[in-house]
Amino acid sequence: MSSIAVSERALRVPRAGIRVIFDAAQKYEGVIHLEIGQPDLPTPPEICRAAEQAIEAGETRYTPNAGSLKLRQAISSMMARRRGLDISTGRIVVTTGGMGALASAVQAMIDTGDEALIPDPGWPNYHMQITCAGGVSVPYPLRPENGFQPAVEDIEARLTPRTRLLFVNSPSNPIGVVYRQEKVDALLELARRRNLMILSDEVYNDICFTGSCPSFLRQDTESFVMAVYSFSKTYSMTGWRVGYLVAPEPVAAQVTKLQEVFYACTSSVSQAAAEAALRMPDGYLDEMNGVYHRRRNALVRILTENGIGHFAPEGAFYCLLQVGQANEDSTQLALEILDRTQVAVAPGETFGEFSRGMVRVSFAVEDGQLEEGISKLAKYLASRPAQ
Ligand code: PLP
């Protein structure tokens, strides 16, 4: 046994439950992977070609910490064209995926013992990132009786003098809920009233089945909203690792400095690819959205036919399924499902207390695989003895 002591901080960070199942699935043949949020659609060829051209042109060096000026200008123009927002390049930091944006934003805002409010159910990385920064995550419930929309009272009741950040995520992982405009307005009003910084994770904002997905980012909210975006899901670019943060200038400056500490910059070749992604015709987004919308409808149909409890997703590409007892250990359940059916699903408890006894499936998989996976799962659950 080694006697090397690793940091308490690293030891406190839990492992992501999704990865536990992903790793366990490696020992089975022919697994249908519904556990991971990874688009099956290929990166569009125009984007790949732009990366090849960048390599041929020798664009293989460090870029500025905040990202290449060309990419930040392209993001700023896109924000103006699609959303009518005037966002200066000084407020944009290109990061290593949305994860890099979130992690650096947390490091820039949280001191030891500071609190950050996170949604339950919610994406586990928020808790991991806050813990890693020495902060304390405080879950606030998204209640089924409210259609999983956040309630101002639930958030306000958890504010303390140490609260530094409010995480919001719409469309959400793992429920696929899209916050209503009036909720967004109410939370912005709360932030203004209580001098609270909102960290809005909008990486799924282009995958939306309700017609429009309200953003927390507005022209008049400059001082108390940070928003995180990513090329990963919208353009099927998970492996390219490009995302960005839009923040008030003083915060963007700190995050830019932290880029030097952690990564210097994200890959120059990936940044050139991201620039090409922003040149894709608008029809691309409609087409991509159409594919996920079709799969979402197929999934909801099969779940309904088989009597499996779920919330019909309004955006993103996830669905939480009520498959076990309320307090059942869903990691064991997911391992059992994997073993009996070779279908990999994400354990609910990794998303918080609410979703113990549930599992999450992703419908970012090819139509045939999705139908086969859910049918196998439904058949197994129907034959499973009561626990
Ligand atoms: N935010 C949410 C809610 C996610 O589900 C993910 C990825 O699964 C991310 C952010 C970050 O993705 P990436 O770092 O690939 O941009």
Side-chain angles (χ1 to χ4, degrees):
M1 260 284 259
S2 159
S3 60
I4 293 172
V6 294
S7 75
E8 287 291 326
R9 188 164 281 188
L11 289 172
R12 268 199 306 271
V13 176
R15 222 181 141 211
I18 303 163
R19 289 283 169 182
V20 172
I21 303 301
F22 181 78
D23 291 350
Q26 306 307 312
K27 70 173 200 278
Y28 296 90
E29 294 274 313
V31 172
I32 298 181
H33 286 278
L34 305 183
E35 82 282 31
I36 220 142
Q38 168 111 289
D40 63 307
L41 307 173
T43 307
E46 298 90 316
I47 297 177
C48 298
R49 261 199 306 279
E52 285 163 10
Q53 283 163 2
I55 293 171
E56 279 159 21
E59 289 180 37
T60 52
R61 296 161 183 267
Y62 292 131
T63 71
N65 293 139
S68 79
L69 186 59
K70 278 192 301 181
L71 177 55
R72 281 179 290 139
Q73 281 167 340
I75 292 168
S76 173
S77 307
M78 178 274 288
M79 288 271 179
R81 189 171 60 82
R82 282 204 209 139
R83 296 154 164 254
L85 294 178
D86 178 16
I87 307 281
S88 65
T89 52
R91 293 184 56 202
I92 300 168
V93 188
V94 176
T95 54
T96 305
M99 286 188 211
L102 287 158
S104 295
V106 167
Q107 291 287 343
M109 295 299 296
I110 295 276
D111 280 317
T112 305
D114 283 345
E115 295 171 10
L117 298 183
I118 57 170
D120 174 6
W123 192 47
N125 296 41
Y126 303 145
H127 170 67
M128 295 163 73
Q129 288 166 343
I130 295 161
T131 307
C132 206
V136 178
S137 59
V138 179
Y140 66 89
L142 299 179
R143 302 178 191 274
E145 59 272 28
N146 295 342
F148 295 104
Q149 300 282 321
V152 169
E153 317 78 76
D154 280 329
I155 291 169
E156 199 154 15
R158 288 164 177 79
L159 294 178
T160 75
R162 298 233 53 178
T163 311
R164 299 296 312 278
L165 278 179
L166 167 63
F167 279 71
V168 289
N169 174 218
S170 167
S172 93
N173 177 5
I175 327 168
V177 70
V178 171
Y179 297 177
R180 303 281 170 271
Q181 184 65 61
E182 56 275 20
K183 279 291 164 199
V184 173
D185 293 343
L187 292 174
L188 288 173
E189 196 278 320
L190 172 74
R192 212 175 271 127
R193 186 158 46 83
R194 300 295 298 262
N195 195 25
L196 181 64
M197 178 63 96
I198 292 182
L199 180 48
S200 180
D201 179 349
E202 303 189 7
V203 302
Y204 295 102
N205 68 331
D206 287 317
I207 306 174
C208 181
F209 317 129
T210 53
S212 80
C213 174
S215 170
F216 281 79
L217 200 61
R218 310 259 181 84
Q219 209 56 57
D220 64 342
T221 58
E222 180 165 333
S223 58
F224 54 89
V225 175
M226 293 191 274
V228 170
Y229 301 94
S230 175
F231 290 84
S232 288
K233 319 288 172 166
T234 305
Y235 297 100
S236 296
M237 290 177 67
T238 45
W240 299 75
R241 311 306 303 131
V242 202
Y244 56 98
L245 176 76
V246 177
E249 264 189 38
V251 181
Q254 294 305 316
V255 171
T256 300
K257 188 176 70 186
L258 293 177
Q259 289 283 101
E260 178 67 21
V261 177
F262 297 125
Y263 335 95
C265 60
T266 198
S267 143
S268 57
V269 175
S270 294
Q271 291 189 54
E275 237 185 285
L278 294 177
R279 290 195 295 270
M280 294 286 286
D282 284 347
Y284 164 81
L285 293 181
D286 295 334
E287 240 173 78
M288 178 271 304
N289 214 47
V291 170
Y292 291 125
H293 202 166
R294 189 185 66 233
R295 290 178 184 170
R296 173 259 187 216
N297 290 347
L299 173 65
V300 167
R301 176 181 49 75
I302 309 176
L303 293 173
T304 308
E305 279 168 8
N306 286 281
I308 299 178
H310 62 279
F311 173 80
E314 301 167 335
F317 39 57
Y318 305 104
C319 190
L320 260 188
L321 314 184
Q322 181 69 62
V323 293
Q325 300 302 318
N327 258 333
E328 197 169 339
D329 177 336
S330 51
T331 302
Q332 281 314 314
L333 177 60
L335 288 168
E336 176 190 316
I337 291 170
L338 174 65
D339 187 59
R340 306 295 155 77
T341 64
Q342 281 77 67
V343 177
V345 294
E349 65 213 1
T350 198
F351 305 102
E353 276 301 305
F354 170 82
S355 39
R356 285 176 147 277
M358 300 185 182
V359 297
R360 187 203 70 177
V361 293
S362 155
F363 48 96
V365 289
E366 186 266 316
D367 300 46
Q369 288 260 304
L370 177 64
E371 297 219 8
E372 188 184 339
I374 297 294
S375 301
K376 280 184 168 171
L377 177 64
K379 203 163 149 206
Y380 175 65
L381 291 174
S383 68
R384 189 173 183 247
Q387 301 301 297

